[in-house]
């Protein structure tokens, strides 16, 4: 059952209140709030990551379908695009001088999904 005012199960643990005391120090604990992110953030590059062969954006598919993308809160956004059984990743870097769009090579769907997973896990950049 859900309370109408906070939309969480009644038996779920409550967040620490701002007036709660830390048991060890006697100081009040402040709650930690993190803004919600609705799309994934790529992990930082891992040691030994492989480089994606980024090339210029050529606009090959006007009707490409976006199958996935990363969170808009970062300065570099990645999109997984698909058209006709092929996929590629579009990288958009937002800088004070404008946007720079680069694209990975077009590959078959299975290879593209593996590349997308590697990018999100920090195994590729």
């Amino acid at each position: 059952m859900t309370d109408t005012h906070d939309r969480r199960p009644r038996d779920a643990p409550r967040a620490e209140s701002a007036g709660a005391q830390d048991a060890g120090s006697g100081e009040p604990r402040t709650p930690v709030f993190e803004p919600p992110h609705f799309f994934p953030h790529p992990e930082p590059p891992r040691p030994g990551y492989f480089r994606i062969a980024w090339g210029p954006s050529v606009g090959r598919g006007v009707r490409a379908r976006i199958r996935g993308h990363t969170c808009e809160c970062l300065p570099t956004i990645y999109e997984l695009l698909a058209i006709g059984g092929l996929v590629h990743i579009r990288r958009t870097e937002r800088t004070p001088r404008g946007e720079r769009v680069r694209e990975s090579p077009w590959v078959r769907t299975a290879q593209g999904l593996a590349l997308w997973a590697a990018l999100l896990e920090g195994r590729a950049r």
Side-chain angles (χ1 to χ4, degrees), residues 63-105:
R63 294 184 167 211
R65 187 178 76 208
I66 299 174
R67 293 192 57 185
H69 58 87
T70 60
C71 193
E72 291 278 337
C73 72
L74 300 173
T76 302
I77 304 163
Y78 298 96
E79 297 171 299
L80 178 65
L81 300 158
I83 187 169
L86 298 175
V87 299
H88 81 285
I89 299 172
R90 181 187 317 162
R91 178 180 73 183
T92 305
E93 296 173 288
R94 296 180 291 193
T95 65
R97 296 185 340 194
E99 291 185 346
R100 180 179 175 202
V101 179
R102 308 284 286 171
E103 295 179 349
S104 72

Side-chain angles (χ1 to χ4, degrees), residues 44-61:
R46 293 182 182 178
Y49 73 94
F50 66 90
R51 294 192 175 271
I52 298 171
W54 299 109
S57 177
V58 294
R60 177 179 178 183

